[in-house]
């Protein structure tokens, strides 16, 4: 799928998690719901850091371009050294390999949670800044593409500072789900995992499929492109994505939000 659809799917998924949490008596304070939605929306773009033309690879200038080259090389290395006989031997890059797996999503989420716990406010600000910028690039892509990167970064920095301050207020969610004094903000990794997995599932319903289950082998392949039956797949950016999936994500997100907040 394209960036805007990925971002919408990540946002809708976290709002759905909020609805589920409310039904299990672990309701999210509204700041957790809001921040998690923004983070999940941004994180839903992150797996494409292995592609130089992707939104995330262009969002932070030379820094993200350089990181993209590293991730692409690392992903290609992982593919070449773990492929089985059924996997293609002619792949020339790392796109849709390592960063498009469940293992990557879990490790990245756990890593960000560990950073938030270990380094506190500055790590939280960095996590929020990066993901708010990505959320703006994904959800408001038309406005973002006609604006200076600097303006988007300033918006991300302002939002990160404001949201971190709100979360730190008593009862606003710094200790949501993980309540020990040394576990504040540990939950920040969860929307990152949710967003990354939604990206993978979104790619799995396109024509190329997605190797979500790596490193679990399926048949003679370790990089098996999981997906729906081929007759149900579509090309990224097609009318199915624009006319059906994106409106569906908006509707589902709205239902999730109202349920999570106890409106319905």
């Amino acid at each position: 799928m394209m960036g805007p659809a990925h971002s919408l799917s990540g946002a809708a998924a976290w709002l759905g998690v909020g609805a589920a949490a409310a039904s299990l008596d672990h309701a999210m304070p509204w700041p957790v719901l809001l921040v998690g939605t923004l983070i999940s929306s941004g994180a839903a773009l992150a797996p494409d850091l292995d592609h130089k033309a992707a939104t995330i690879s262009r969002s932070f200038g030379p820094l993200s371009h350089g990181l993209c080259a590293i991730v692409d090389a690392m992903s290609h290395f992982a593919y070449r050294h773990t492929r089985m006989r059924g996997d293609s031997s002619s792949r020339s890059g790392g796109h849709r390999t390592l960063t498009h797996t469940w293992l990557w999503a879990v490790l990245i989420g756990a890593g960000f949670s560990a950073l938030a716990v270990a380094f506190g406010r500055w790590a939280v600000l960095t996590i929020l800044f990066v993901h708010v910028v990505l959320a703006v690039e994904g959800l408001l892509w038309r406005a973002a593409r006609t604006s200076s990167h600097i303006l988007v970064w300033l918006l991300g920095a302002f939002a990160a500072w404001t949201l971190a301050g709100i979360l730190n207020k008593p009862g606003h969610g710094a200790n949501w789900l993980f309540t020990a004094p040394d576990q504040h903000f540990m939950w920040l990794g969860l929307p990152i995992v949710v967003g990354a997995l939604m990206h993978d599932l979104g790619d799995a319903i396109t024509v190329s499929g997605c190797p979500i289950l790596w490193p679990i082998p399926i048949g003679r392949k370790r990089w098996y492109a999981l997906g729906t039956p081929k007759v149900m797949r579509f090309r990224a950016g097609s009318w199915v994505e624009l006319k059906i999936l994106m409106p569906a994500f908006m509707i589902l997100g709205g239902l999730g939000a109202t349920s999570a907040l106890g409106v319905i």
Side-chain angles (χ1 to χ4, degrees):
M1 291 196 302
M2 303 298 285
H6 278 309
S7 283
L8 276 174
S9 73
W14 185 254
L15 292 169
V17 171
S23 70
L24 296 172
D25 295 325
H26 287 285
M28 298 177 184
W30 70 264
V32 173
L33 190 68
L34 172 61
V35 169
T37 299
L38 290 172
I39 291 177
S40 187
S41 175
L45 297 179
D48 277 344
L49 188 57
D50 58 7
H51 193 294
K52 64 181 180 180
T55 299
I56 185 173
S57 302
R58 296 181 282 102
S59 293
F60 299 97
L63 178 62
S64 53
H65 278 298
L67 189 57
C68 170
I70 294 171
V71 170
D72 179 45
M74 180 176 64
S75 299
H76 192 210
F77 179 88
Y79 179 87
R80 287 188 293 110
H81 287 81
T82 63
R83 69 182 182 87
M84 296 172 64
R85 276 190 281 181
D87 294 308
S88 173
S89 60
S90 60
R91 177 179 285 273
S92 60
H95 182 48
R96 282 202 184 184
T97 55
L98 184 61
T99 61
H100 288 67
T101 66
W102 71 270
L103 184 60
W104 176 272
V106 171
L107 290 177
I108 289 297
F112 276 114
S113 284
L115 287 174
V117 171
F119 297 101
R121 181 174 176 80
W122 288 107
V124 171
L125 286 171
T126 301
I127 293 168
L128 289 174
F129 168 72
V130 168
H131 288 92
V132 168
V133 168
L134 291 177
V136 170
E137 293 279 4
L139 297 175
L140 304 176
W141 65 278
R142 291 184 185 276
R145 287 188 179 181
T146 58
S147 302
S148 164
H149 277 311
I150 294 176
L151 291 177
V152 178
W153 297 343
L154 288 173
L155 176 60
F158 174 77
W161 188 271
T162 302
L163 292 171
I166 292 172
L167 285 171
N168 263 324
K169 293 181 179 179
H172 277 195
N175 63 342
W176 176 74
L177 200 59
F178 303 100
T179 57
D182 60 346
Q183 295 178 340
H184 284 193
F185 295 109
M186 185 179 286
W187 62 268
L188 284 178
L190 295 177
I192 294 172
V193 175
V194 169
L197 290 177
M198 288 305 297
H199 180 108
D200 298 345
L201 292 173
D203 280 352
I205 59 177
T206 62
V207 292
S208 300
C210 187
I212 302 172
L213 296 180
W214 181 90
I216 301 169
I218 298 178
R220 300 172 61 220
K221 295 183 178 182
R222 196 179 302 278
W223 295 92
Y224 182 85
L226 196 70
T228 52
K230 290 188 177 181
V231 295
M232 297 175 61
R233 299 187 193 185
F234 57 90
R235 294 191 178 278
S238 71
W239 67 270
V240 175
E241 180 177 328
L242 300 175
K243 303 296 185 181
I244 298 177
L245 291 181
M246 290 178 67
F249 293 146
M250 294 179 190
I251 293 170
L252 291 172
L255 291 173
T258 52
S259 179
L261 295 171
V263 177
I264 60 173

